């Protein structure tokens, strides 16, 4: 069976009628016990299992997914990868993720289609340019590539933007990160699943968590729709459903879950070669490798678990898009969806042990989860393997809400959430 993806293996399989490919990952029956359990088969959960096996030689790991691999937020986002955050703690976190993304295709032997086409956050007034200059300075001090763009620079990277004199959102300049871009969301999930499975991880789909096994005040396993599964170390990476599982474990999290909508147009020839974000319009947009215009916006501020969103929010996003790019008015929308994001008061993630000993958390990423997958997996894996924080994850422990050490990255999304 062919296990390594390469030009040579593709040629050989072509000669053999494509009959020798190995399944991308195994789908075994769950065992009664494991060294570690990871709840959630999205990007963060799969990355955690992979790094447990790769970095810590812990391969008796089960990934438990209620639905199918990548069927949650990992397959429902707008695929942007960037690290242009403000505070040093956030820069370390997202910078780690960005560096890992840059080597991820080689590491996983799976093309995640990373396209570093750059991203510009637009400024629509003199005041916004002043804030933009301060933000760029902070990023550069923290070691993140960033550049303050003039209107001419923005016109160079996004010539189809509405630069007319009477534009509702005139361009005064912008914040540019050249290393930013996009990656194929499904490929990230599939790549991690395949690589983790090859290292011995059991990926178990259609396995819903119904309760936690708690003995002597410690989490010792989980009850699932496929029976009891025990482990001394359990990680939870379930994004918008973190509060639901926390309630089953007997504690509350400072999380609200909202629907974040996105949509794509019919495919067209290449017309937009970067990611453009307008805080004023409340819209960010890019063009996929297939030619679709990928459009995202702000949260629907009504807490919800509905993965379809609603029409008023979609109308607001499309209205903003057409102010930015009137040329898109002729396009037809092809798909629309929503992901359920887990928003924390300071808009920074929670990484650390939960109030229930033995159960560790990776949640609260809000709208920034996809871009952080490699870092979230690396850091949760270290916590599960050693019981101790990495220096990068320590500031994001749940105890910051008791001490008041908040990391307020509400502006990090570029859109008011």
């Amino acid at each position: 069976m062919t296990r390594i993806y390469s030009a040579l293996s593709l040629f050989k399989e072509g000669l053999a009628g494509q009959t020798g490919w190995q399944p991308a990952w195994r789908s075994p029956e769950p065992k009664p016990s494991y060294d570690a359990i990871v709840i959630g088969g999205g990007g963060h959960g799969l990355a955690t299992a992979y790094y447990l096996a790769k970095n810590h030689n812990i391969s008796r790991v089960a990934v438990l997914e209620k639905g199918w691999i990548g069927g949650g937020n990992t397959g429902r986002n707008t695929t942007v990868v960037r690290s242009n955050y403000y505070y040093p703690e956030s820069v370390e976190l997202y910078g780690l993720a960005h560096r890992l993304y840059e080597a991820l295709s080689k590491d996983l032997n799976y093309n995640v289609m990373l396209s570093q086409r750059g991203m510009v956050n637009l400024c629509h007034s003199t005041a916004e340019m002043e804030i933009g200059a301060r933000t760029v300075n902070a990023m550069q001090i923290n070691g993140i590539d960033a550049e303050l763009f003039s209107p001419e620079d923005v016109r160079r990277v996004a010539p189809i933007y509405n630069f007319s004199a009477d534009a509702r959102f005139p361009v005064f300049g912008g914040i540019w990160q050249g290393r930013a871009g996009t990656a194929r969301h499904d490929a990230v999930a599939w790549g991690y699943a395949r690589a983790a499975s090859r290292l011995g991880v059991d990926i178990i789909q259609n396995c819903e968590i119904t309760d936690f096994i708690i003995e002597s005040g410690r989490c010792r396993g989980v009850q699932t729709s496929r029976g009891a599964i025990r482990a001394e170390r359990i990680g939870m990476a379930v994004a918008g459903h973190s509060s639901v599982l926390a309630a089953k474990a007997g504690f509350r999290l400072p999380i609200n879950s909202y629907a974040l909508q996105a949509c794509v147009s019919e495919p067209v020839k290449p017309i937009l070669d970067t990611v453009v974000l307008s805080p004023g319009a409340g819209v960010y947009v890019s063009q996929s490798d297939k030619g679709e215009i990928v459009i995202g916006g702000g949260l629907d501020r009504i807490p919800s678990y509905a993965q379809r969103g609603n029409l008023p929010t979609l109308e607001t996003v499309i209205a903003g898009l057409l102010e930015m790019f009137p040329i898109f008015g002729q396009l037809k929308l092809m798909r629309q969806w929503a992901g359920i994001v887990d928003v924390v008061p300071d808009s920074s993630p929670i990484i650390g042990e939960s109030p229930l000993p033995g159960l560790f958390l990776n949640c609260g990423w809000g709208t920034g989860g996809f871009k952080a997958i490699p870092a979230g997996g690396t850091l949760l894996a270290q916590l599960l393997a050693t019981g101790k924080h990495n220096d990068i994850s320590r500031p994001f422990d749940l105890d910051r809400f008791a001490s008041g050490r908040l990391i307020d990255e509400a502006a990090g999304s570029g859109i008011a959430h």
Side-chain angles (χ1 to χ4, degrees):
M1 301 290 283
T2 302
R3 302 182 64 191
I4 303 297
Y5 293 164
S6 66
L8 179 59
S9 65
L10 185 63
F11 177 73
K12 288 182 176 179
E13 285 300 328
L15 294 177
Q18 310 291 345
T19 58
W21 293 113
Q22 188 182 61
W25 59 82
R26 299 174 295 107
S27 296
E29 290 296 315
K31 299 181 179 68
S33 65
Y34 291 89
D35 292 334
I37 292 172
V38 180
I39 304 172
H44 283 268
L46 293 166
T48 299
Y50 171 68
Y51 292 120
L52 273 171
K54 180 193 175 190
N55 296 347
H56 304 283
N57 296 316
I58 301 174
S59 58
R60 289 190 69 252
V61 177
V63 176
L64 308 182
E65 168 56 42
K66 177 182 178 180
W68 64 92
I69 293 301
N73 286 0
T74 302
R76 293 174 173 269
N77 60 78
T78 48
T79 76
V80 176
V81 173
R82 59 184 176 88
S83 54
N84 50 351
Y85 281 74
Y86 187 84
Y87 290 101
E89 298 90 343
S90 302
V91 167
E92 290 294 323
L93 180 63
Y94 290 98
L96 171 63
H98 207 156
R99 293 191 299 273
L100 290 172
Y101 258 121
E102 290 174 324
L104 195 58
S105 292
K106 182 177 180 180
D107 185 26
L108 300 180
N109 182 227
Y110 200 98
N111 185 9
V112 302
M113 301 173 67
L114 178 67
S115 174
Q116 292 178 281
R117 59 190 67 181
M119 176 176 182
V120 59
N121 290 33
L122 299 177
C123 298
H124 300 300
S125 66
T126 302
E128 288 184 15
M129 280 296 290
E130 293 176 356
I131 295 172
R134 180 183 180 188
T135 301
V136 167
N137 289 339
M139 290 177 185
Q140 292 178 346
I141 289 171
N142 290 327
I144 292 296
D145 62 304
E147 183 180 348
L148 190 64
F149 263 21
S150 67
E152 292 72 25
D153 293 323
V154 176
R155 188 185 294 270
R156 173 171 49 83
V157 299
I160 62 171
Y161 187 87
N162 182 10
F163 289 96
S164 63
D166 60 347
R168 182 179 178 188
F169 299 105
V171 173
F172 281 64
I175 302 169
W176 171 258
Q177 185 180 33
R179 289 170 57 233
T182 62
R184 174 66 189 268
H185 45 16
D186 293 329
V188 172
W190 298 338
Y192 272 120
R194 175 176 177 270
S197 180
R198 289 183 59 188
L199 294 176
V201 172
D202 285 357
I203 297 174
I204 303 167
Q205 302 176 77
N206 300 309
C207 183
E208 181 179 0
I209 307 300
T210 59
D211 206 350
F212 289 85
I213 300 172
I214 302 173
E215 297 172 353
S216 302
R218 185 177 181 85
C219 188
R220 305 287 184 179
V222 290
Q223 296 285 354
T224 79
S225 57
R226 299 178 66 173
I229 306 175
R230 303 180 72 91
E232 292 298 308
R233 294 166 282 190
I234 300 173
M236 192 170 80
V238 295
H241 288 78
S242 298
S243 300
V244 176
L245 285 187
K248 293 180 184 294
F251 60 89
R252 294 182 61 188
L253 289 172
I255 286 176
N256 286 318
S257 294
Y258 302 100
L260 180 66
Q261 295 190 68
C263 55
V264 296
S265 75
E266 60 184 320
V268 293
K269 291 183 177 181
I271 193 172
L272 183 62
D273 192 31
T274 190
V275 182
V276 180
L277 184 151
S278 168
V283 175
Y284 50 100
V285 59
S286 63
Q287 187 170 17
S288 75
D289 294 331
K290 294 189 294 182
E292 302 162 342
I293 304 301
V294 184
I295 309 153
L299 296 176
D300 178 350
R301 272 299 186 178
I302 299 175
S304 172
Y305 291 97
Q307 291 181 316
R308 59 186 178 272
N310 64 45
L311 185 58
T313 299
L314 181 63
E315 288 178 332
T316 299
V317 171
I318 297 301
L321 174 74
L322 296 183
E323 293 284 354
M324 297 165 62
F325 299 97
I327 192 174
F328 291 159
Q330 300 178 49
L331 292 177
K332 298 177 181 177
L333 283 185
M334 189 166 63
R335 295 189 307 277
Q336 176 269 342
W337 65 89
I340 308 306
V341 296
D342 42 337
V343 178
V344 178
D346 64 350
S347 297
S348 287
I350 298 170
I351 309 171
E353 191 167 19
S354 78
L356 175 61
L359 177 62
F360 294 83
L361 303 172
N362 172 349
C363 60
W365 294 96
T367 62
F370 178 74
K371 69 179 70 68
I373 283 173
T378 297
L379 299 173
L380 182 58
Q382 180 170 333
L383 277 164
L384 289 171
T386 67
K388 298 179 181 178
H389 271 290
N390 184 290
D391 288 343
I392 295 176
S393 64
R394 183 68 191 87
F396 298 94
D397 193 276
L398 190 60
D399 65 8
R400 73 179 186 271
F401 296 100
S403 66
R405 293 182 297 99
L406 303 185
I407 306 167
D408 189 357
E409 281 288 1
S413 65
I415 295 176
H417 288 331

